[in-house]
Amino acid sequence: AMVAEVARHAAEFSWNPPAIGVDVAHELHVENAPFDGRWWTPDDPHHVVGGRLGLIDDIWQLTLFGWLGPWNYAEREHTRPPVIFGEVGTTEVSLLDLVPNGLDYTQRQPPYRCTQSVNQIIAGAHTDGDVKYRGAAIELLNLNEWAQRPVFASQSQQPQECSPGSSRWQETFVATDPGVLVARLPEATVSLVRGLGHSLNPVSSVDVTSNECVIFDFNEPITAEEIAHDFLRPLASLLALATCQPCPVQRFGVVPEDAAERSGSWSMLAWEPRSPLPSPGQWFHFIFTLLDVDFGSVIPRWWALHPDIGTVTDLLGSLEGEAPTSNKFLNAASAIEAYHRRLSTEAGM
């Protein structure tokens, strides 16, 4: 009965997302690797070979069971393509910034197997990388706990058919819309939304997930590198400072400038963490949460301050985790010195 109740609420629960959307329908994420697919070059889409994209020693590598590109054994010329397109299931994938690794071939024949490292992976489209984006959707590890905006509430009530002295109680779950919080920057509009997804096993169970997501709607299209430096880095620094823990990216989606309205986003797979992330829990020691500050005020104020003390927050983040005590001491001293130099108004500093 409880499963059916949760499923009913999940099916009925919806709210209007921001204009650029937050759905990343292309479920190519690190935890699902490796990926088997079909691969080809943009210049020769009819020559397709099989291959596997996966993580080897925390490095994305593509292993092709064949060869893409020209091959001239006599002249020792075998140029590798700078961009490779592919399909994993029905998902379009673009592999950019490739680094050659190894070749396996027989005499005077093209390689029957080759490997190369991949530094940029875009799931959801075929693109050569020379593209700008008008929006981004980012999920961070600590964001749910920092936002403190629960989306489900449990209620216990006595069924009507029970007598007043009966101890039978029924627990139900009610989904509520926490709303969309908005902040404005000179270069973008920032929204905090709470997404909801569910999958139903008709026999026994229902899985419901809900995560906070920060949406950036840029005034002018920008590159992926600009998104990472000017928007992702300040956001992660704010969360790391508030939670006293590193704040890695869990999901990173981008919306290209020529995409149709509400068409979803591309997943920047190579920017997601390549090692298992810790599970958020009670071990967070918050300095402040969203209950303590106004989202519309703290975001623009932090963005204005971050260019001056961004290095300080990076150094503070390095104090967490395993490291020699001497290294942590030097980083802490450097953070104090950098903070003093950035904010000091004395002449000559």
Side-chain angles (χ1 to χ4, degrees):
M2 186 170 64
V3 169
E5 186 72 11
V6 173
R8 182 178 67 81
H9 281 295
E12 295 175 353
F13 182 52
S14 64
W15 54 76
N16 294 325
I20 71 167
V22 298
D23 291 332
V24 181
H26 321 287
E27 293 299 328
L28 298 189
H29 297 299
V30 175
E31 60 267 24
N32 302 326
F35 308 110
D36 294 325
R38 304 163 59 249
W39 309 94
W40 63 90
T41 63
D43 298 332
D44 190 5
H46 300 293
H47 178 53
V48 179
V49 301
R52 169 169 288 189
L53 177 66
L55 281 170
I56 300 177
D57 296 329
D58 284 343
I59 298 175
W60 283 105
Q61 291 193 11
L62 174 68
T63 300
L64 293 176
F65 303 105
W67 178 253
L68 296 175
W71 176 265
N72 188 327
Y73 178 81
E75 299 181 5
R76 303 289 181 177
E77 293 181 359
H78 30 269
T79 304
R80 301 201 187 210
V83 178
I84 293 179
F85 290 166
E87 285 184 350
V88 176
T90 59
T91 300
E92 297 179 345
V93 182
S94 300
L95 308 181
L96 314 173
D97 195 4
L98 306 173
V99 179
N101 279 350
L103 293 174
D104 294 326
Y105 58 93
T106 57
Q107 189 174 17
R108 299 185 181 279
Q109 296 295 324
Y112 58 87
R113 183 172 58 193
C114 62
T115 60
Q116 45 204 321
S117 301
V118 186
N119 291 323
Q120 188 173 165
I121 305 170
I122 299 177
H126 289 149
T127 175
D128 60 3
D130 187 19
V131 63
K132 293 185 176 182
Y133 305 97
R134 61 181 175 86
I138 301 172
E139 293 182 13
L140 300 167
L141 176 66
N142 306 346
L143 188 57
N144 288 352
E145 287 69 31
W146 179 74
Q148 294 290 304
R149 301 199 306 163
V151 72
F152 294 109
S154 62
Q155 297 179 348
S156 297
Q157 58 184 6
Q158 190 176 23
Q160 294 181 357
E161 63 271 14
C162 293
S163 61
S166 173
S167 61
R168 291 179 56 196
W169 290 81
Q170 181 178 357
E171 186 175 16
T172 61
F173 291 88
V174 179
T176 58
D177 179 3
V180 178
L181 302 181
V182 179
R184 303 195 182 279
L185 300 174
E187 306 86 2
T189 299
V190 188
S191 304
L192 180 67
V193 302
R194 183 97 189 189
L196 179 72
H198 74 281
S199 59
L200 176 65
N201 182 333
V203 177
S204 60
S205 64
V206 58
D207 294 326
V208 181
T209 58
S210 177
N211 289 296
E212 297 280 2
C213 184
V214 177
I215 307 296
F216 292 98
D217 192 359
F218 307 120
N219 298 340
E220 298 291 338
I222 60 177
T223 64
E225 290 73 17
E226 290 174 312
I227 296 175
H229 185 271
D230 298 340
F231 296 93
L232 174 57
R233 181 169 172 256
L235 179 63
S237 295
L238 175 64
L239 268 294
L241 184 64
T243 60
C244 298
Q245 291 289 336
C247 190
V249 177
Q250 288 185 299
R251 298 287 184 266
F252 185 10
V254 291
V255 180
E257 59 179 328
D258 57 352
E261 193 73 13
R262 302 175 67 85
S263 63
S265 56
W266 300 353
S267 177
M268 305 293 285
L269 184 62
W271 289 12
E272 296 181 6
R274 305 179 186 188
S275 300
L277 296 175
S279 299
Q282 299 301 320
W283 43 265
F284 283 122
H285 301 287
F286 296 104
I287 295 178
F288 64 92
T289 70
L290 196 56
L291 299 177
D292 306 311
V293 296
D294 176 66
F295 184 80
S297 299
V298 71
I299 292 296
R301 292 176 65 181
W302 174 254
W303 248 254
L305 183 62
H306 189 264
D308 291 330
I309 64 169
T311 303
V312 178
T313 57
D314 293 341
L315 289 169
L316 290 176
S318 68
L319 300 181
E320 297 295 335
E322 298 295 331
T325 303
S326 58
N327 289 7
K328 290 188 175 183
F329 176 82
L330 291 175
N331 288 342
S334 299
I336 296 172
E337 178 66 15
Y339 183 75
H340 175 66
R341 286 181 174 271
R342 290 290 184 179
L343 300 185
S344 176
T345 58
E346 295 179 12
M349 291 298 294

